[in-house]
Amino acid sequence: TNETKLILDTRRRTEDLDQTGMANDANATTLRARLGFETGKVWGTSLLVEGEAVVPLEDDYRPDPMMPDMVAYPVVADPENYEFNRVQLVNTSIPGTTLTLGRQRILLDDQRFVGNVGWRQNEQTFEAFRIVNNSIKNLVLDATYLDKVNRVFGKDSPQGEYEGNSALLNASYQTKAGKISGFGYLLEFDDIPGVPAAVRDSTSTYGLRFAGEAPVGEVKLAYIASWATQTDYADNPLSFDLDYVLAEVTASYKQFGLGAGMEVLDGDGV
């Protein structure tokens, strides 16, 4: 179709933070507005353009730990920011396949390893080429090459953009008991002078995830289990080999639910 859709999204957010050792409490109230459009498809291709503005309404906070502003206040990472949030071409002309090129939102599984950090006002986006194929029943193959991460700190921050050659691979299969996912994320980030965390975030992560639900009488059980291992990658100066484990069970009856879970991210003290 040639029908163009308007994108309009606003959110007001307040975060107050009392941090031990800081002279002042942080009081951050910000307004986020997104405005854009998505065209209809021509030759199986559509264009999406979306701008974003984050405006502080109450700015008693430190928006970026890498900037020398408001240093007597705790950090609330919702800086004033004006930028293109998404600019992407989406093509669906190949049967069972979606191709996305440009600055885009990528959410994988529960976003533990790859997501948009959606609770912050300026979401994280990726400049990438992504292929998603679901031509085989119950199987989804998802592969992405990316060369830039637009982080929540905004384009004016020293740590606002990570560049490098990275790959995201995710495959999932839906069974009667639940969805089984396997993933490999190879993140290679260039060194940024004055931002040691950038190259240290170069990691390789491999893992498995299983999530599903089943009725037990009138109760619905939902369950999740995940395991991953992460090591240093590319030019990362650190050396580590650490595991991640998640286990969670939730029981629901009518409008009531009760759950228990455990999530462990290993550390080696360094």
Side-chain angles (χ1 to χ4, degrees):
T1 69
N2 290 317
E3 184 178 351
T4 295
K5 299 177 182 178
L6 182 68
I7 299 170
L8 177 60
D9 173 297
T10 62
R11 182 172 78 174
R12 182 183 184 273
R13 185 179 192 278
T14 297
E15 180 175 341
D16 297 326
L17 183 57
D18 177 3
Q19 184 172 325
T20 301
M22 302 300 295
N24 302 300
D25 295 346
N27 305 113
T29 299
T30 53
L31 178 67
R32 182 190 72 201
R34 294 179 184 151
L35 179 63
F37 63 87
E38 182 177 14
T39 68
K41 292 181 180 178
V42 178
W43 298 303
T45 304
S46 62
L47 170 67
L48 187 152
V49 178
E50 177 185 66
E52 179 182 77
V54 179
V55 182
L57 304 178
E58 183 181 23
D59 60 358
D60 296 328
Y61 67 100
R62 187 178 185 184
D64 187 341
M66 300 299 298
M67 302 285 274
D69 299 327
M70 304 293 284
V71 295
Y73 291 83
V75 173
V76 178
D78 287 331
E80 182 173 5
N81 190 60
Y82 308 93
E83 65 179 26
F84 282 106
N85 190 50
R86 291 184 291 166
V87 181
Q88 64 184 47
L89 289 168
V90 179
N91 180 276
T92 55
S93 59
I94 302 173
T97 304
T98 300
L99 309 176
T100 307
L101 175 66
R103 181 178 291 208
Q104 59 190 278
R105 176 185 297 140
I106 300 177
L107 314 176
L108 297 178
D109 292 326
D110 60 357
Q111 303 177 50
R112 162 49 68 194
F113 297 108
V114 180
N116 68 335
V117 199
W119 64 91
R120 298 258 64 111
Q121 290 288 60
N122 176 34
E123 73 172 335
Q124 177 168 270
T125 59
F126 304 84
E127 301 194 11
F129 176 58
R130 184 181 185 189
I131 305 173
V132 180
N133 179 274
N134 58 2
S135 56
I136 299 175
K137 185 180 179 181
N138 296 328
L139 178 67
V140 178
L141 301 176
D142 191 329
T144 299
Y145 165 79
L146 66 98
D147 62 4
K148 182 185 286 188
V149 183
N150 304 296
R151 306 179 73 230
V152 299
F153 300 99
K155 65 183 188 305
D156 296 327
S157 168
Q159 60 175 339
E161 297 176 346
Y162 279 6
E163 296 184 352
N165 300 305
S166 300
L168 312 174
L169 305 171
N170 187 297
S172 63
Y173 187 77
Q174 184 69 48
T175 71
K176 291 183 179 179
K179 185 169 76 170
I180 303 170
S181 302
F183 52 86
Y185 305 137
L186 303 176
L187 306 180
E188 178 184 347
F189 298 124
D190 299 338
D191 185 34
I192 301 175
V195 186
V199 71
R200 292 177 184 176
D201 282 341
S202 296
T203 52
S204 63
T205 305
Y206 298 94
L208 298 168
R209 186 173 190 270
F210 176 67
E213 57 185 40
V216 180
E218 295 186 15
V219 175
K220 183 175 75 174
L221 278 182
Y223 36 83
I224 303 171
S226 184
W227 168 86
T229 183
Q230 186 174 90
T231 62
D232 52 284
Y233 183 68
D235 294 330
N236 193 329
L238 305 179
S239 179
F240 55 89
D241 187 351
L242 302 169
D243 290 336
Y244 164 85
V245 176
L246 168 69
E248 185 178 293
V249 177
T250 304
S252 301
Y253 175 73
K254 296 185 177 179
Q255 69 266 44
F256 302 102
L258 181 66
M262 177 185 71
E263 186 175 32
V264 178
L265 299 96
D266 276 356
D268 62 6
V270 179

